[in-house]
Amino acid sequence: WSTCYNESTESAGCTNNPTVEKEWYLPSQVSVSGGTLNLTAKQETTQATSSSGAAATYNCRSGMVTSQPSFNFTYGLLQVTAKIPYGPGLWPALWLEPANGDWPPELDMMEHWYSEPDYKVYDHFTNATDYLGGPVSTPVNLSAGFHTYSLLWTKDRVTWYLDGVQEYTTTTHVPQQAMYFIANVADRNPDGDNSTSLESGSCNGTMEISSVKV
């Protein structure tokens, strides 16, 4: 496992989509204890760099793990058992990105925003606004316990499951290239866009992961 997209800068940390996210990912926010992997968001001023390499200040530091570059796969059943945090600004996610560095495609097993009563599944295929999927209503509070999020990816179909129950499937825009796995807890701009009004959320929460199976 790596704690950043780019293994060469892993110790210094990294960011993701800084126009809508406010966190800086650091190895210090990744830990293993009691049989779970913990990705912890914490509101703490952090000096780092912007996407252009300029000095930048982040109000949030958080945790990420990725199987890039050591493990990627084309097609399969991916199952992740996790307990996700709810809270202002928090954006935990489980997702897949192409191993060759292209974007899109992107397959989002699970995204959750704030304390909303649903989570999101997406298949991004052209750009950020061209996607399949959307909200999935849940009868339970996903932060109250562990749940298993599954993605069955074949050459002709992608299907999403929550605790073994099918929630969404598509036979169009199915990725046909090797991808790697990412788990992270972001701190999202409340406006969800490129607004310069970047009030922080709580940046306080931990995603616990008990297993990742492919």
Side-chain angles (χ1 to χ4, degrees):
W1 293 100
S2 298
T3 57
C4 247
Y5 299 111
N6 188 338
E7 197 174 41
S8 65
T9 61
E10 183 176 8
S11 61
C14 60
T15 188
N16 176 59
N17 197 4
T19 56
V20 296
E21 298 178 25
K22 303 166 59 55
E23 76 290 326
W24 184 258
Y25 293 109
L26 286 170
S28 62
Q29 304 311 114
V30 179
S31 63
V32 176
S33 63
T36 64
L37 168 70
N38 305 297
L39 307 179
T40 301
K42 180 181 180 182
Q43 193 166 42
E44 182 175 335
T45 301
T46 303
Q47 302 301 318
T49 58
S50 68
S51 54
S52 65
T57 301
Y58 294 80
N59 295 324
C60 175
R61 56 176 59 189
S62 192
M64 167 194 291
V65 292
T66 168
S67 66
Q68 176 77 349
S70 63
F71 177 76
N72 56 70
F73 63 101
T74 308
Y75 315 132
L77 174 64
L78 173 60
Q79 294 181 314
V80 182
T81 300
K83 180 180 179 181
I84 66 174
Y86 280 18
L90 292 181
W91 186 6
L94 307 169
W95 47 304
L96 297 176
E97 284 261 275
N100 63 4
D102 288 347
W103 187 91
E106 174 183 320
L107 291 175
D108 298 314
M109 292 180 66
M110 180 281 296
E111 291 187 2
H112 186 269
W113 300 349
Y114 320 141
S115 298
E116 293 183 354
D118 54 42
Y119 74 102
K120 281 81 174 172
V121 299
Y122 295 116
D123 176 0
H124 291 275
F125 55 87
T126 303
N127 53 49
T129 58
D130 291 336
Y131 61 83
L132 301 170
V136 173
S137 296
T138 58
V140 295
N141 181 330
L142 296 175
S143 70
F146 283 86
H147 296 274
T148 298
Y149 304 87
S150 303
L151 186 77
L152 179 57
W153 170 30
T154 70
K155 183 177 180 180
D156 303 312
R157 180 184 295 269
V158 183
T159 306
W160 288 255
Y161 301 85
L162 175 63
D163 294 328
V165 177
Q166 179 177 317
E167 300 291 354
Y168 185 77
T169 189
T170 180
T171 57
T172 61
H173 301 291
V174 176
Q176 304 292 327
Q177 61 196 95
M179 304 183 85
Y180 63 93
F181 172 71
I182 308 163
N184 66 291
V185 179
D187 187 45
R188 183 180 173 90
N189 172 7
D191 297 327
D193 56 22
N194 295 341
S195 169
T196 56
S197 176
L198 296 178
E199 303 90 6
S200 275
S202 67
C203 186
N204 181 26
T206 298
M207 176 159 61
E208 301 174 57
I209 300 175
S210 63
S211 66
V212 178
K213 301 176 182 179
V214 180

